[in-house]
Amino acid sequence: MYFTKKDERKRIEFTILVPYCLTITIWHICMEKAPVNNFLSRGGESGEIIRSLNWAETSLGAPETWPLSLRTSLGILLNSAFPMILFWGEEMTCFYNDAFRPSLGNNGKHPGIGKKGRELWADVWDFAGPLFEQVLTTGEPVWFEDQLVPFYRNGKTENIYWNSGYSPIYDDEGKINGVFVACTETTEKVHTERKLTESEKHFESLIREAAVGIIVLRGDDNIVEVVNDAYLKLTGRDYRRMIGKPLFEAIPDTDPYFRRIIESVRSSGHPYHLNNHPYSITTDGVTNEGFLNLIYQPYKNPDGKIDGVMTLCHDVTANVMAQKRVEDSEQRMLSVVESAPFPIGVYLGREMRIGMVNRSIMDVWGKGSDVVGKTYHEVLPELEGSGIYEQLDNVFTTGIPFHARNQQVDLVVDGSLQPFFFNYSFTPLYGTDGTIYGVMNTAAEVTDLVIAAKKIEQSEKNFRNIILQAPVAMCIMLGPEHVVEIANDAMIELWGKPVEAVMNKPVFEDLPDSREQGLEQLLDNVFTTGKRVVANEMAVNLIRHGKPETVYQNFVYEPYRNTDGEMLGVLAITVDVTAQVMSRRKIEEVVRFRTRELEIANNDLKRSNAELAQFAYIASHDLQEPLRKISTFTQMIEMRSGDRLDEQSRNYFEKIKVASLRMQTLIRDVLTYSELIKDNEIFIPTDLNSILEGVVGDFELLIEQKGAKITVEELPVIDAIPLQMSQLFGNLISNSLKFARTDIQPTIQISAEIMSVSDKAENDFHMAPYYKITFRDNGIGFREEYAEKIFNIFQRLHGKSEYEGTGIGLAMCKKIALNHNGNLNAYGSSENGAVFNLLIPEKHFTITN
């Protein structure tokens, strides 16, 4: 398959430049939210070089400060498999990707990333420099095919040919700040084409100068009697090796093909013709192949007796190959037409009989392939009276092409007449004799574009109506002088001027009282840069209805553009918040007063809590001493009395010991609970899996005695106080073991998950992330009305004789969860056991008032 240079350029533009434009647009959208160094995360050797350079010492600065447009372009360049170069900034700093690297060769310019373009490409700057200046100045891309650009590589200057495109790169402010070069080296292709051209010229010369080969064979042995130079040249034989020799000895290659034919002609006396017959002849070890037109004619002696055969042979290899190329070319053209994404049709003769149509035009017509062979009028009778038949006839008659833009054409599709819009052309088709034999129809459906344009026009009208009817103040100011083009009643009222005094005039001429308050700079900046400006509660001094006033405004200045993106002016949206500002200031004064009162109350509360904690600690600590004495003296009396105590006395002593032990446990728990009030503990990263492993080890004997089964999912690592986490886990597991049922095997399931947004909102958690760690057992459970009461200190749901404990354990767990900016809740039933949910953040944070 062969391509012209025009075909090759179209193929490269379609397969490379179009996908590149789509890719860089998507990439740009993604890069707006991506981390700043994502564009350097890959990129092979070139990416590594960019990452290793100290950019802070260059004019570009550190990569973190690079414009988004530069980072986006580099992201595409580094991740592309197509050779690319980028020149950026005033110094034309050079970047290229790994796909371009082989074209630099060895012992040459590589590595050149980060170097100034003029210095790196000094040997070609006379050619490249003006091109860069042209692209930077005009913004128009430049394309070269097979352009010779010699430059230094592999230790020497080489002649390199390129297909290359030079395109402008825009910075974040919409200004051209670089040149993007997409290129592919075509040196080998150019050399090959030159050789092919030379070979074809030589081959054409041979075909042009060749005569018909003639050979006469006599006798049963087919002795060569006559042979001309053309035949000798065709067979590659020397005259002396042919004349007087049997043909199939002189040219043994022809035996399998022609002996049978020659014998048939001699015996029958009838000529024999062969057209486009393939041949293969070997001479001195070299084999030549091609196609021949052959005529075998009986050769008679003077007596009229056939005693030989005369063969005329014409080498038609060139003709056969040319025909094959024509067929291939026609097939390629047919394939192009068939696969074209836009409608194409060919209509033959003055009657416009359809000779060729592609799938696109059949889809537009709503027809099938059976339209071929029918006339245009037969296929589309609904076009009668539209003028299209006359347009076709005029093109066929005059040879002048016809072009239409945004033309409405009503077609019957799916049984109904529907309006469509097209850009279409009728072009005359000429035969080899210069006469017109048909018309080619090419088209592009623009229905959506036309409808969209009409919608835009209607949208513009609607937009202006919205401005006029808006409940907030709005206006449009055009040009650098900010001429008021449209303003609604709310804006006129805000300005406090008559309508005729402000419309169609520069705004600062209409409102001289608003000058020199910063508004001029804001409007100029929006019009110049195209960036919106938002301001809240900006104070503006105006003379409204003849009276000076200070007005507080929330406003937005938006760039106002046409459909082509051209800057026309500024859209201003303003809300008068003067009343709200004044009210808020009064509220803020009250809030400051109330805040001071709350701070005083909060300090009193902190002092009260500290005193309470100190009291609990002292009380718990001091109560242990008399309790130890009661226990000790009771044991001493019991030991001295020995067997003299009756049964009732021993029972009394036993109750004293049990009460003392319970009192001691209660005091210890109260002391532990008081310790939880302190806030000087240090939070460190704590692996809850290790905490749980230690707690399970402590309860190993009790777990074995009860035959309990504990299943655990992977738990997180969080910022926590390890000792308090051990106390919390220990109390929850102890509870599950204590309140286990006796009729089934006790099971405890422990799991963890990230809390959802809705769960955090329900628990009034605003930091993220939070974990929910669930302890689930199949014990005796509790009634739902006790779900909150069980966390109260000294709260018990069962008698002391039924289950041991002080009623402080779950209160301690709740306090520990709160200490960690979390919470603890529970639910349960007599049938399904109890479930405790520990809600706790991953990272510790301090809550400030």
Side-chain angles (χ1 to χ4, degrees), residues 99-126:
F100 182 76
R101 168 65 185 91
S103 296
L104 293 175
N106 300 313
N107 190 20
K109 300 178 184 300
H110 182 73
I113 293 175
K115 295 182 180 179
K116 299 177 180 178
R118 181 181 293 275
E119 297 176 0
L120 181 64
W121 301 90
D123 49 346
V124 297
W125 199 253
D126 289 342

Tab-separated table of all heavy atoms in Angstrom, residues 99-126:
chain	number	residue	atom	x	y	z
A	99	ALA	N	10.501	8.609	23.973
A	99	ALA	CA	10.259	8.228	22.587
A	99	ALA	C	11.129	9.036	21.626
A	99	ALA	O	11.493	8.560	20.547
A	99	ALA	CB	8.776	8.424	22.239
A	100	PHE	N	11.489	10.293	22.016
A	100	PHE	CA	12.357	11.106	21.179
A	100	PHE	C	13.828	10.800	21.414
A	100	PHE	O	14.655	11.086	20.555
A	100	PHE	CB	12.092	12.597	21.454
A	100	PHE	CG	12.917	13.534	20.587
A	100	PHE	CD1	12.587	13.730	19.265
A	100	PHE	CD2	14.037	14.185	21.094
A	100	PHE	CE1	13.334	14.573	18.465
A	100	PHE	CE2	14.791	15.028	20.297
A	100	PHE	CZ	14.441	15.216	18.973
A	101	ARG	N	14.147	10.208	22.578
A	101	ARG	CA	15.536	9.988	22.959
A	101	ARG	C	16.358	9.272	21.883
A	101	ARG	O	17.476	9.701	21.580
A	101	ARG	CB	15.556	9.197	24.287
A	101	ARG	CG	16.911	8.624	24.684
A	101	ARG	CD	17.945	9.697	24.990
A	101	ARG	NE	19.251	9.113	25.258
A	101	ARG	CZ	20.178	8.893	24.346
A	101	ARG	NH1	19.944	9.227	23.080
A	101	ARG	NH2	21.335	8.365	24.662
A	102	PRO	N	15.872	8.170	21.200
A	102	PRO	CA	16.717	7.490	20.205
A	102	PRO	C	17.152	8.396	19.066
A	102	PRO	O	18.215	8.177	18.488
A	102	PRO	CB	15.812	6.350	19.714
A	102	PRO	CG	14.870	6.098	20.840
A	102	PRO	CD	14.630	7.437	21.447
A	103	SER	N	16.327	9.402	18.715
A	103	SER	CA	16.685	10.286	17.610
A	103	SER	C	17.869	11.170	17.963
A	103	SER	O	18.480	11.758	17.065
A	103	SER	CB	15.491	11.156	17.222
A	103	SER	OG	14.436	10.365	16.724
A	104	LEU	N	18.213	11.306	19.243
A	104	LEU	CA	19.377	12.097	19.647
A	104	LEU	C	20.675	11.318	19.501
A	104	LEU	O	21.760	11.898	19.581
A	104	LEU	CB	19.208	12.564	21.096
A	104	LEU	CG	18.070	13.573	21.338
A	104	LEU	CD1	17.938	13.840	22.821
A	104	LEU	CD2	18.314	14.849	20.584
A	105	GLY	N	20.548	9.962	19.305
A	105	GLY	CA	21.745	9.152	19.155
A	105	GLY	C	22.607	9.137	20.413
A	105	GLY	O	22.150	9.402	21.521
A	106	ASN	N	23.879	8.807	20.240
A	106	ASN	CA	24.837	8.783	21.343
A	106	ASN	C	25.935	9.813	21.077
A	106	ASN	O	26.160	10.229	19.936
A	106	ASN	CB	25.448	7.395	21.504
A	106	ASN	CG	24.397	6.339	21.789
A	106	ASN	OD1	23.533	6.540	22.633
A	106	ASN	ND2	24.447	5.232	21.056
A	107	ASN	N	26.590	10.213	22.146
A	107	ASN	CA	27.697	11.172	22.014
A	107	ASN	C	27.215	12.408	21.265
A	107	ASN	O	27.836	12.845	20.304
A	107	ASN	CB	28.885	10.522	21.293
A	107	ASN	CG	30.141	11.414	21.355
A	107	ASN	OD1	30.246	12.294	22.212
A	107	ASN	ND2	31.065	11.200	20.433
A	108	GLY	N	26.050	12.944	21.741
A	108	GLY	CA	25.484	14.117	21.083
A	108	GLY	C	24.894	15.082	22.096
A	108	GLY	O	25.535	15.442	23.085
A	109	LYS	N	23.621	15.423	21.900
A	109	LYS	CA	22.977	16.444	22.728
A	109	LYS	C	22.449	15.890	24.045
A	109	LYS	O	22.177	16.646	24.964
A	109	LYS	CB	21.833	17.082	21.943
A	109	LYS	CG	22.283	17.751	20.650
A	109	LYS	CD	21.088	18.331	19.904
A	109	LYS	CE	21.531	18.918	18.566
A	109	LYS	NZ	22.520	19.985	18.749
A	110	HIS	N	22.199	14.592	24.121
A	110	HIS	CA	21.624	14.005	25.350
A	110	HIS	C	22.692	13.899	26.435
A	110	HIS	O	23.829	13.496	26.146
A	110	HIS	CB	21.073	12.616	25.038
A	110	HIS	CG	20.411	11.954	26.210
A	110	HIS	ND1	19.183	12.352	26.681
A	110	HIS	CD2	20.842	10.958	27.008
A	110	HIS	CE1	18.872	11.614	27.708
A	110	HIS	NE2	19.854	10.754	27.925
A	111	PRO	N	22.330	14.230	27.725
A	111	PRO	CA	21.016	14.752	28.135
A	111	PRO	C	20.935	16.269	27.961
A	111	PRO	O	21.843	16.986	28.309
A	111	PRO	CB	20.940	14.381	29.613
A	111	PRO	CG	22.369	14.390	30.065
A	111	PRO	CD	23.189	13.933	28.886
A	112	GLY	N	19.810	16.711	27.410
A	112	GLY	CA	19.641	18.140	27.183
A	112	GLY	C	18.434	18.731	27.872
A	112	GLY	O	18.110	19.897	27.667
A	113	ILE	N	17.741	17.914	28.673
A	113	ILE	CA	16.549	18.403	29.375
A	113	ILE	C	16.949	19.505	30.354
A	113	ILE	O	17.904	19.363	31.112
A	113	ILE	CB	15.851	17.236	30.110
A	113	ILE	CG1	15.273	16.263	29.082
A	113	ILE	CG2	14.745	17.742	31.016
A	113	ILE	CD1	14.675	15.024	29.695
A	114	GLY	N	16.171	20.591	30.350
A	114	GLY	CA	16.425	21.711	31.260
A	114	GLY	C	17.371	22.752	30.693
A	114	GLY	O	17.558	23.800	31.287
A	115	LYS	N	18.009	22.464	29.515
A	115	LYS	CA	18.939	23.425	28.926
A	115	LYS	C	18.186	24.435	28.061
A	115	LYS	O	17.080	24.181	27.596
A	115	LYS	CB	19.988	22.694	28.089
A	115	LYS	CG	20.898	21.783	28.918
A	115	LYS	CD	21.945	21.116	28.064
A	115	LYS	CE	22.860	20.208	28.885
A	115	LYS	NZ	23.870	19.530	28.054
A	116	LYS	N	18.843	25.574	27.828
A	116	LYS	CA	18.250	26.609	26.997
A	116	LYS	C	18.232	26.136	25.546
A	116	LYS	O	19.191	25.555	25.059
A	116	LYS	CB	19.019	27.910	27.116
A	116	LYS	CG	19.042	28.478	28.535
A	116	LYS	CD	19.874	29.738	28.612
A	116	LYS	CE	19.900	30.296	30.032
A	116	LYS	NZ	20.745	31.504	30.142
A	117	GLY	N	17.095	26.380	24.854
A	117	GLY	CA	16.929	25.895	23.496
A	117	GLY	C	18.009	26.405	22.557
A	117	GLY	O	18.559	25.653	21.745
A	118	ARG	N	18.337	27.721	22.664
A	118	ARG	CA	19.337	28.289	21.739
A	118	ARG	C	20.699	27.632	21.924
A	118	ARG	O	21.427	27.398	20.958
A	118	ARG	CB	19.433	29.798	21.946
A	118	ARG	CG	20.424	30.489	21.024
A	118	ARG	CD	20.484	31.977	21.309
A	118	ARG	NE	19.266	32.645	20.973
A	118	ARG	CZ	18.979	33.079	19.749
A	118	ARG	NH1	19.842	32.903	18.760
A	118	ARG	NH2	17.839	33.697	19.514
A	119	GLU	N	21.040	27.291	23.170
A	119	GLU	CA	22.347	26.665	23.428
A	119	GLU	C	22.345	25.198	23.014
A	119	GLU	O	23.278	24.706	22.379
A	119	GLU	CB	22.685	26.796	24.913
A	119	GLU	CG	22.844	28.242	25.378
A	119	GLU	CD	23.072	28.331	26.880
A	119	GLU	OE1	23.105	27.267	27.531
A	119	GLU	OE2	23.221	29.459	27.392
A	120	LEU	N	21.273	24.455	23.366
A	120	LEU	CA	21.220	23.025	23.077
A	120	LEU	C	21.150	22.766	21.576
A	120	LEU	O	21.773	21.844	21.064
A	120	LEU	CB	20.016	22.405	23.786
A	120	LEU	CG	19.836	20.898	23.597
A	120	LEU	CD1	20.996	20.130	24.195
A	120	LEU	CD2	18.523	20.448	24.219
A	121	TRP	N	20.397	23.596	20.836
A	121	TRP	CA	20.187	23.375	19.411
A	121	TRP	C	20.869	24.474	18.588
A	121	TRP	O	20.325	24.946	17.582
A	121	TRP	CB	18.692	23.349	19.115
A	121	TRP	CG	17.976	22.278	19.881
A	121	TRP	CD1	17.409	22.359	21.086
A	121	TRP	CD2	17.813	20.916	19.468
A	121	TRP	NE1	16.883	21.158	21.474
A	121	TRP	CE2	17.106	20.242	20.489
A	121	TRP	CE3	18.177	20.186	18.321
A	121	TRP	CZ2	16.770	18.902	20.420
A	121	TRP	CZ3	17.844	18.844	18.230
A	121	TRP	CH2	17.159	18.209	19.269
A	122	ALA	N	22.043	24.886	19.030
A	122	ALA	CA	22.744	25.971	18.349
A	122	ALA	C	22.992	25.651	16.872
A	122	ALA	O	22.923	26.531	16.019
A	122	ALA	CB	24.075	26.257	19.069
A	123	ASP	N	23.255	24.353	16.552
A	123	ASP	CA	23.590	23.990	15.169
A	123	ASP	C	22.386	24.071	14.232
A	123	ASP	O	22.551	24.098	13.007
A	123	ASP	CB	24.184	22.580	15.113
A	123	ASP	CG	23.349	21.571	15.887
A	123	ASP	OD1	22.475	21.992	16.681
A	123	ASP	OD2	23.575	20.369	15.706
A	124	VAL	N	21.149	24.079	14.763
A	124	VAL	CA	19.969	24.164	13.900
A	124	VAL	C	19.140	25.393	14.227
A	124	VAL	O	17.992	25.504	13.777
A	124	VAL	CB	19.114	22.881	14.021
A	124	VAL	CG1	19.897	21.676	13.549
A	124	VAL	CG2	18.627	22.688	15.444
A	125	TRP	N	19.666	26.295	15.058
A	125	TRP	CA	18.841	27.420	15.515
A	125	TRP	C	18.506	28.384	14.369
A	125	TRP	O	17.481	29.060	14.414
A	125	TRP	CB	19.545	28.162	16.643
A	125	TRP	CG	18.583	29.000	17.433
A	125	TRP	CD1	18.449	30.345	17.437
A	125	TRP	CD2	17.611	28.497	18.345
A	125	TRP	NE1	17.448	30.723	18.287
A	125	TRP	CE2	16.909	29.609	18.866
A	125	TRP	CE3	17.245	27.216	18.779
A	125	TRP	CZ2	15.887	29.476	19.775
A	125	TRP	CZ3	16.231	27.084	19.692
A	125	TRP	CH2	15.555	28.201	20.188
A	126	ASP	N	19.374	28.446	13.336
A	126	ASP	CA	19.055	29.298	12.196
A	126	ASP	C	17.749	28.860	11.546
A	126	ASP	O	17.012	29.668	10.975
A	126	ASP	CB	20.183	29.264	11.171
A	126	ASP	CG	21.422	30.002	11.673
A	126	ASP	OD1	21.285	30.814	12.630
A	126	ASP	OD2	22.507	29.754	11.134
